[in-house]
Amino acid sequence: MTYCVGMCLNRGLVFMSDTRTNAGVDNIATFRKMSTWSTPGERVITLMAAGNLATTQAVVSMLEERTKILAERFPSILEAPTMVQVAQIVGELVRDVVQSNAVGGQNADTTFHATFILGGQIKTGEPRLFMIYPEGNFIEASTDTPFFQIGETKYGRPIIVRAYDPDMKFEDAIKLLMVSFDSTIKANLSVGLPIDVQTYETDSFEIGHEFRVEPNDDYYNLISDSWGEALRTAFFSLPDFEFND
């Protein structure tokens, strides 16, 4: 399992993903879930993955191969004219990879399933964010649904829903997502540090801030401790419950 979030802000896009993969409590490893392709001044495309590791790595490797080897360039996400067409390319590739591994045809609940968050901007278009399903179809973020989560989503979602603001700065969005990730990590051992973070500012056509949060990161640990203390303070400030008898 994993946890990834892609978020739309008025300022641009924010991506955050953990790095834990596991096939049982005695087989835990670290793999990067976030991949980025760019043509400076023309496009930036970021992809995050959750699901079967072999499937997600196959999809990313094939996308990368198509951008480098002339015979495999079509269709390439670096040549598609719109982000919708990029989503179609990725969706078709996801479907083909899942089908090639599944016995008796592709099914959404197969052990080879994978889900992706795709975001970025191509010149002449606006920044866009998509969630791509194992079947190859996808949905796009909107003002009603301004962020997507994949993987272990339930523990961190309430925090984002309560505090999200499209006008927030990148710094505030990252702080919000760190709280969401910290809550998820504390509740589920299948999600863990390090965390990869990336921002993209509208019309910049270049990767913004990009960094990794390690387990010994001072700011992350401060956020974790402060959030726990704030929750305890808020709980004890609530009105006391009393039995009617």
Side-chain angles (χ1 to χ4, degrees):
M1 188 58 73
T2 191
Y3 183 39
C4 304
V5 182
M7 178 180 290
C8 294
L9 301 175
N10 291 337
R11 186 174 175 180
L13 302 171
V14 180
F15 305 92
M16 191 175 289
S17 61
D18 88 317
T19 55
R20 176 164 294 180
T21 63
N22 69 292
V25 295
D26 59 346
N27 188 8
I28 295 174
T30 297
F31 285 90
R32 183 176 175 87
K33 313 291 182 61
M34 184 186 301
S35 303
T36 303
W37 297 265
S38 65
T39 302
E42 198 271 333
R43 73 181 62 202
V44 173
I45 298 167
T46 296
L47 187 70
M48 296 186 294
N52 178 268
L53 183 61
T55 300
T56 59
Q57 287 197 328
V59 169
V60 171
S61 295
M62 293 173 72
L63 289 172
E64 180 69 19
E65 187 176 73
R66 290 178 180 180
T67 66
K68 293 182 177 180
I69 301 176
L70 185 61
E72 299 291 336
R73 286 183 64 87
F74 183 80
S76 168
I77 58 175
L78 292 182
E79 296 176 342
T82 68
M83 283 300 300
V84 170
Q85 292 189 35
V86 172
Q88 291 173 336
I89 291 171
V90 176
E92 290 172 1
L93 183 56
V94 171
R95 183 192 61 216
D96 292 344
V97 170
V98 172
Q99 283 182 339
S100 68
N101 287 285
V103 177
Q106 182 267 342
N107 292 291
D109 60 351
T110 176
T111 57
F112 300 105
H113 83 281
T115 308
F116 294 81
I117 292 175
L118 169 73
Q121 184 179 18
I122 296 175
K123 203 163 188 177
T124 72
E126 297 296 321
R128 304 178 79 168
L129 187 70
F130 303 89
M131 182 159 66
I132 302 173
Y133 295 99
E135 299 86 350
N137 55 340
F138 56 86
I139 59 174
E140 183 174 2
S142 65
T143 54
D144 293 325
T145 307
F147 64 89
F148 288 132
Q149 302 167 280
I150 55 176
E152 187 54 80
T153 63
K154 56 183 176 292
Y155 301 106
R157 181 176 180 81
I159 296 164
I160 302 176
V161 170
R162 286 178 179 271
Y164 168 82
D165 184 339
D167 290 324
M168 67 195 332
K169 301 182 298 183
F170 284 141
E171 294 87 344
D172 291 335
I174 290 171
K175 178 169 65 173
L176 172 62
L177 291 182
M178 282 191 177
V179 174
S180 177
F181 271 70
D182 178 63
S183 298
T184 303
I185 289 169
K186 281 183 166 53
N188 194 309
L189 291 175
S190 69
V191 180
L193 296 161
I195 294 171
D196 290 314
V197 184
Q198 186 187 108
T199 65
Y200 171 76
E201 187 162 3
T202 301
D203 294 334
S204 66
F205 300 104
E206 61 182 18
I207 299 170
H209 297 282
E210 188 173 32
F211 58 94
R212 173 167 283 193
V213 179
E214 299 287 353
N216 61 350
D217 186 89
D218 290 337
Y219 179 74
Y220 177 85
N221 290 322
L222 176 62
I223 287 294
S224 177
D225 294 341
S226 299
W227 179 248
E229 183 60 35
L231 284 177
R232 286 188 290 271
T233 300
F235 173 76
F236 287 112
S237 69
L238 294 173
D240 291 336
F241 173 80
E242 295 182 359
F243 289 105
N244 291 331
D245 59 358

